[in-house]
Amino acid sequence: MGEESIDSGKRNFLKAMVVISAGAAVAGVLKGVVQNIIPPSSGLSSFPELTLFFNGNPLKYSDIPPSFTGGNIVLFDYPLQSDPNFLLNISNDNKTPAPVEPMSVFIPATGGTYESPGGVGPDNSVVAFSAICQHLGCVPPIIHYYAAGSAAFPTYIHCNCHGSTYDPSRGAKVITGPTTHPLPATILKYDAVTGTFKVVSMTGPTIYGKISDLTGGTPLPEGQTYTDVTTESIQG
Amino acid sequence: MDIEKYKFWKKRQDVVEEVVDTLKLNELPLKTVPDYMRRKRGIWYWTGALITIAFVYQVISGLLLLIYYTPSDPYYNTVNVIIDTVPFGALFLASHLYGAYAMIVLIYIHLFRNYFMGAYKKPRRLQWVTGVLLLAITIGVGFFGYSMTGDVLSSDATDVGRGIALSTPILGATLESLVFGNGTSLSLFTHMLSLHIIFTAIIGLLFGLHFFLAEANGMMPSNRKSKYTAPAVDKEDPSYKPWFPYNMAFMVQLALYTFGILIIIPSILMLINGSTVPASATNPPIPPLFSPFPSFAPTSPFAGYVPAYPPWFLLFIYKAVDFQIFTGPMSPLIASTVFGVVPLLYFLLIPFMDGSKDLHPLARPMVTAFGILAVIYMVILSAWGALSPGIPIPPSEVYAVFIPPWVIVVGGMYFLNRMYKQNKFRVTSNKSIASFLLFMFLLIFMVIELAENFSAFMNHTSALNLVSTALAGGATSFVAFGTMKSAQVAEKYQPVKEPKQHVISVNTAVIISAILGIFAVAVIAMISTLNPVGVISEGEFGLGLGGILVISGLIMRLYRAAFYHE
Ligand code: FES
């Protein structure tokens, strides 16, 4: 009897050793698998400073009169590829640029505010915002800017997916829901000497669908110091 | 013994019983086997199990890699994303490659073992046919997988594949687009990916049938039982221990060893390689055929330094395409038919061509001879392909290489068969060991000779040529002695009496297992802090992990030795 229980104790000890070392192996495998299936984040570590290019040359103020940014959907990618931003020259009559003041913008979802940078350029009227709707992520042309004089939503950015409306002359603050966040503001810099525009960073809410503005996409080709301004025409 | 402890063990015992009951582990309808199959050298009987374990590893690692595969830019994605940035991506990629190699090698071993044993005969004919099909499909899956990286080797391989497909009469263009897509790179890699997975699924299904048949037909009984006559059917014996826990413990041990080795080998190669792309293009640390990682991009200036190799397991067909005995526009197709399809058909149909009841290798001289020739030709052709990739070979050289082994093996087997029939052929154990050693020596000598003198070999130095091939042929006859001997040993085989005492004393097992267990825990603690990204740290992690798996297998082995007396 005594013999037997000693034997079974040893038996259990050996079993425990099998379990421990196999457990260690399983732990190692699990660590490998779990870390492996979480994809490494793709993106940048800081906001790049990019010159806005238009048709292969640095964008001039004269390229974007109010009638142009109001009559077309004018976009550029920032900070990553496939992060579209609206470029707008704000005006109340689609002719005369209207300066946009820096102001603090209210976020309905959190009750907080943040500082929106205001317009740049000779008339302090050029602004840029993320062009991805903060409600559920619809992109242009479904969301776009309705120039002054439009039948519906004049001077507003409106999203046809579910009807969110933003006011780009007041930091793209929320005019009507269902969105609860303003459009993130893209910060521009105007160089009066060379007459060129640079895009330098973003502020406000995070771009829709991303953990951070800088990750979750493919960076522009390495070493590229510009981002192209593209246009599509407004239909309907 | 104090009562608390007793209760604890009792409870634990109940849990174990519950698990066993729920999973019906002791009622699994699996065949039981005699003890000798689980003993030392018993591994020989489990090549099928090893292939299955490797296949499981391939499916798991493959599905993990699938998460990251990008057909639109596979080379950049494999090298710069999977290897360079995905945690443990390099380790999974390299071990997936080597798992495939292991599967193919093991399948060949499994196939030739059963071939020489005559296991293809009734009642296992369908089982054999599914097995040969599994080999062919596995090679196909290997080819598609190899073509997925988009490196210079993969594009060479798909180019050769396209060429062979296109030279098919009438169906060429259709076949080519069926396999390789419409010509765009995206279509090509999407096809490689889908075919890789589709055919893996087919392997899974066909394996199910193969395994079911294996269980239904049971194992090949020992030659003593079968008396070398088909149908060789084993009757389960009451002396066979139940599947649970004896065989299960053995399977767990095998799986732990196999997984461990499958991870250790590529890890070592990763450490040798040191970086993602070889440090030197002209003199890489690991020859391109066995590199754990993709080679250079086809557009890289270094691509020219890499010989246009197919995966090594297709080298033999690849060399055959260089033979100038095949001419004309259809020559690639003819060469790959003669050296690929014809042997495949031969192996597929052998159960129907060899209807005799004889299982002894010497009683089926031509079958045995063709088997030996198949091995010899495959080895020679592969070595040839590796050493002189893409160099055309005039017919005289081809015949000089192929005819001597043929004459020696076929002739040798003919005479051995006659001696066997007259019962004159008797070998002692020493003689057969000596003949095996001599065979190995000659084989190694031949390979070195071939490698050393290759330039001379290429310069029509037929004397040398003949010497090396004659050596190959001479060596083959020793294989015959070897099989003959093993057959005789088996004939005399008496099941060893169950040893009463422990194979290893329980105390020794306890001490060794404690040391191993502590070691395993120490290793896991050590490797868990390694950086999951980086060729070197991933190689070290793999080495440690593989080591722990092998250690676990060792403890399992100790347990079986101490308590199952196996
Ligand atoms: S996504 Fe724009 S309103 Fe819903």
Side-chain angles (χ1 to χ4, degrees):
Chain A
M1 179 67 206
E3 275 275 308
E4 232 167 69
S5 65
I6 288 172
D7 210 46
S8 97
K10 286 175 181 165
R11 211 180 166 110
N12 284 322
F13 178 80
L14 234 76
K15 276 188 190 166
M17 281 302 136
V18 173
V19 170
I20 287 175
S21 70
V26 169
V29 171
L30 274 184
K31 175 182 150 71
V33 171
V34 169
Q35 284 191 315
N36 175 268
I37 56 175
I38 301 170
S41 66
S42 156
L44 300 162
S45 49
S46 65
F47 283 106
E49 201 171 293
L50 305 175
T51 308
L52 293 185
F53 261 52
F54 189 52
N55 293 333
N57 294 308
L59 176 94
K60 295 270 159 28
Y61 183 59
S62 55
D63 293 332
I64 46 166
S67 57
F68 182 70
T69 61
N72 297 292
I73 303 174
V74 183
L75 300 167
F76 61 89
D77 281 343
Y78 187 83
L80 304 174
Q81 291 182 32
S82 69
D83 288 341
N85 294 270
F86 290 118
L87 182 65
L88 303 172
N89 194 350
I90 300 294
S91 158
N92 294 324
D93 55 7
N94 224 2
K95 283 193 203 81
T96 344
V100 178
E101 300 297 325
M103 66 187 76
S104 68
V105 179
F106 179 66
I107 308 175
T110 61
T113 59
Y114 64 94
E115 291 309 307
S116 180
V120 299
D123 300 313
N124 290 329
S125 58
V126 179
V127 290
F129 300 100
S130 166
I132 305 176
C133 182
Q134 282 283 315
H135 174 228
L136 288 176
C138 285
V139 292
I142 297 176
I143 177 172
H144 69 83
Y145 176 63
Y146 291 76
S150 302
F153 317 106
T155 73
Y156 289 140
I157 292 170
H158 178 76
C159 177
N160 284 337
C161 275
H162 317 93
S164 297
T165 313
Y166 307 86
D167 183 352
S169 60
R170 291 198 196 81
K173 72 169 193 168
V174 179
I175 302 295
T176 66
T179 180
T180 55
H181 289 89
L183 289 176
T186 312
I187 303 179
L188 301 173
K189 222 164 66 181
Y190 177 66
D191 184 336
V193 181
T194 57
T196 58
F197 290 86
K198 282 201 158 111
V199 51
V200 294
S201 76
M202 307 216 36
T203 185
T206 308
I207 300 173
Y208 179 85
K210 309 223 287 184
I211 301 165
S212 116
D213 289 341
L214 291 174
T215 61
T218 314
L220 293 162
E222 188 145 0
Q224 180 173 322
T225 57
Y226 62 88
T227 177
D228 279 313
V229 172
T230 58
T231 60
E232 33 184 301
S233 58
I234 298 170
Q235 271 130 17
Chain B
M1 200 179 221
D2 79 71
I3 198 79
E4 281 301 300
K5 225 175 175 180
Y6 181 72
K7 262 189 189 154
F8 170 75
W9 285 122
K10 184 86 190 86
K11 214 181 234 156
R12 203 196 57 98
Q13 209 59 43
D14 290 348
V15 172
V16 171
E17 262 162 37
E18 177 101 25
V19 170
V20 170
D21 258 17
T22 326
L23 295 178
K24 301 268 181 294
L25 284 180
N26 40 11
E27 293 166 38
L28 287 178
L30 293 169
K31 275 265 159 41
T32 57
V33 298
D35 280 1
Y36 70 84
M37 287 178 71
R38 285 189 296 268
R39 287 235 177 79
K40 229 185 198 171
R41 280 195 289 275
I43 194 83
W44 189 240
Y45 301 99
W46 297 97
T47 46
L50 295 182
I51 299 167
T52 313
I53 295 165
F55 179 65
V56 169
Y57 186 82
Q58 287 307 88
V59 170
I60 296 171
S61 54
L63 288 176
L64 288 171
L65 290 168
L66 177 60
I67 301 178
Y68 292 104
Y69 186 68
T70 313
S72 57
D73 192 359
Y75 184 76
Y76 175 86
N77 186 70
T78 307
V79 172
N80 299 43
V81 179
I82 296 185
I83 296 179
D84 277 354
T85 65
V86 172
F88 300 112
L91 184 58
F92 280 120
L93 186 73
S95 58
H96 190 66
L97 178 72
Y98 266 75
Y101 290 173
M103 247 182 102
I104 291 170
V105 171
L106 288 168
I107 292 177
Y108 274 125
I109 295 175
H110 188 64
L111 178 132
F112 280 112
R113 173 177 64 96
N114 287 315
Y115 179 85
F116 289 120
M117 278 171 47
Y120 53 81
K121 300 199 174 196
K122 273 183 191 169
R124 296 185 183 77
R125 296 198 294 190
L126 182 58
Q127 194 182 332
W128 170 267
V129 169
T130 53
V132 176
L133 289 177
L134 279 166
L135 167 70
I137 299 173
T138 305
I139 288 180
V141 169
F143 173 81
F144 294 132
Y146 194 84
S147 305
M148 279 167 64
T149 59
D151 67 352
V152 53
L153 292 175
S154 99
S155 65
D156 289 338
T158 47
D159 286 346
V160 173
R162 275 178 201 271
I164 293 176
L166 276 176
S167 61
T168 316
I170 308 163
L171 289 175
T174 317
L175 194 65
E176 194 242 18
S177 60
L178 209 60
V179 178
F180 298 102
N182 64 9
T184 64
S185 137
L186 182 59
S187 174
L188 170 69
F189 291 113
T190 313
H191 272 76
M192 293 300 107
L193 173 66
S194 5
L195 294 175
H196 188 64
I197 296 173
I198 291 169
F199 280 103
T200 304
I202 295 176
I203 290 181
L205 294 176
L206 208 53
F207 166 73
L209 180 58
H210 189 69
F211 181 75
F212 168 76
L213 290 172
E215 283 294 319
N217 290 327
M219 56 152 205
M220 281 289 280
S222 69
N223 292 325
R224 211 176 65 85
K225 269 194 189 170
S226 70
K227 305 259 185 307
Y228 288 112
T229 352
V233 185
D234 189 52
K235 276 180 228 50
E236 281 197 34
D237 202 293
S239 77
Y240 295 1
K241 290 179 187 160
W243 190 86
F244 179 85
Y246 298 96
N247 232 28
M248 195 182 88
F250 184 68
M251 281 301 111
V252 170
Q253 180 197 328
L254 273 192
L256 289 168
Y257 280 164
T258 313
F259 285 146
I261 292 166
L262 283 184
I263 296 177
I264 287 176
I265 294 174
S267 300
I268 292 174
L269 292 175
M270 281 164 69
L271 291 173
I272 296 176
N273 213 48
S275 58
T276 312
V277 282
S280 149
T282 44
N283 188 18
I286 297 172
L289 274 174
F290 298 104
S291 164
F293 294 136
S295 184
F296 302 102
T299 51
S300 152
F302 297 122
Y305 292 106
V306 185
Y309 283 137
W312 60 260
F313 51 84
L314 287 176
L315 268 177
F316 68 103
I317 292 186
Y318 166 79
K319 189 63 218 170
V321 176
D322 295 336
F323 292 165
Q324 290 175 333
I325 39 174
F326 308 112
T327 48
M330 271 167 58
S331 63
L333 183 71
I334 298 172
S336 44
T337 306
V338 170
F339 286 89
V341 179
V342 170
L344 186 69
L345 283 178
Y346 168 76
F347 281 109
L348 267 179
L349 297 179
I350 188 69
F352 308 101
M353 296 189 296
D354 176 14
S356 73
K357 287 194 184 315
D358 292 313
L359 292 181
H360 196 290
L362 292 186
R364 308 170 277 142
M366 287 311 116
V367 172
T368 308
F370 287 163
I372 296 172
L373 282 173
V375 178
I376 294 270
Y377 285 161
M378 208 161 67
V379 171
I380 291 185
L381 273 177
S382 304
W384 209 353
L387 293 167
S388 69
I391 297 170
I393 306 294
S396 60
E397 299 274 333
V398 176
Y399 298 134
V401 169
F402 277 88
I403 292 173
W406 176 279
V407 172
I408 293 167
V409 174
V410 172
M413 281 313 298
Y414 174 74
F415 286 111
L416 285 168
N417 171 248
R418 287 188 53 171
M419 284 162 77
Y420 172 76
K421 274 197 206 142
Q422 295 159 7
N423 231 341
K424 275 190 203 150
F425 194 84
R426 285 283 168 239
V427 212
T428 63
S429 169
N430 285 343
K431 256 193 223 163
S432 82
I433 291 173
S435 72
F436 179 71
L437 289 179
L438 194 57
F439 165 68
M440 286 313 288
F441 173 76
L442 289 176
L443 191 70
I444 293 165
F445 182 70
M446 181 204 77
V447 169
I448 293 172
E449 190 78 341
L450 208 63
E452 287 272 302
N453 296 295
F454 212 73
S455 52
F457 190 24
M458 297 311 306
N459 292 332
H460 302 255
T461 324
S462 11
L464 184 69
N465 192 339
L466 273 172
V467 170
S468 55
T469 50
L471 280 178
T476 60
S477 44
F478 288 101
V479 176
F481 283 81
T483 55
M484 177 62 205
K485 184 59 209 162
S486 75
Q488 280 176 7
V489 171
E491 218 168 344
K492 278 184 253 150
Y493 175 80
Q494 300 283 335
V496 191
K497 269 229 175 125
E498 194 55 36
K500 275 281 168 288
Q501 71 279 55
H502 296 165
V503 176
I504 178 172
S505 97
V506 175
N507 286 332
T508 325
V510 165
I511 294 166
I512 302 177
S513 72
I515 296 171
L516 290 175
I518 294 168
F519 189 66
V521 173
V523 172
I524 189 76
M526 236 152 60
I527 62 171
S528 62
T529 55
L530 287 169
N531 183 1
V533 180
V535 172
I536 296 289
S537 62
E538 285 178 53
E540 288 165 354
F541 184 87
L543 211 54
L545 185 59
I548 299 174
L549 286 161
V550 172
I551 287 174
S552 311
L554 279 173
I555 302 180
M556 200 71 200
R557 176 80 199 88
L558 285 172
Y559 184 83
R560 289 180 49 241
F563 296 107
Y564 299 162
H565 315 314
E566 294 187 334

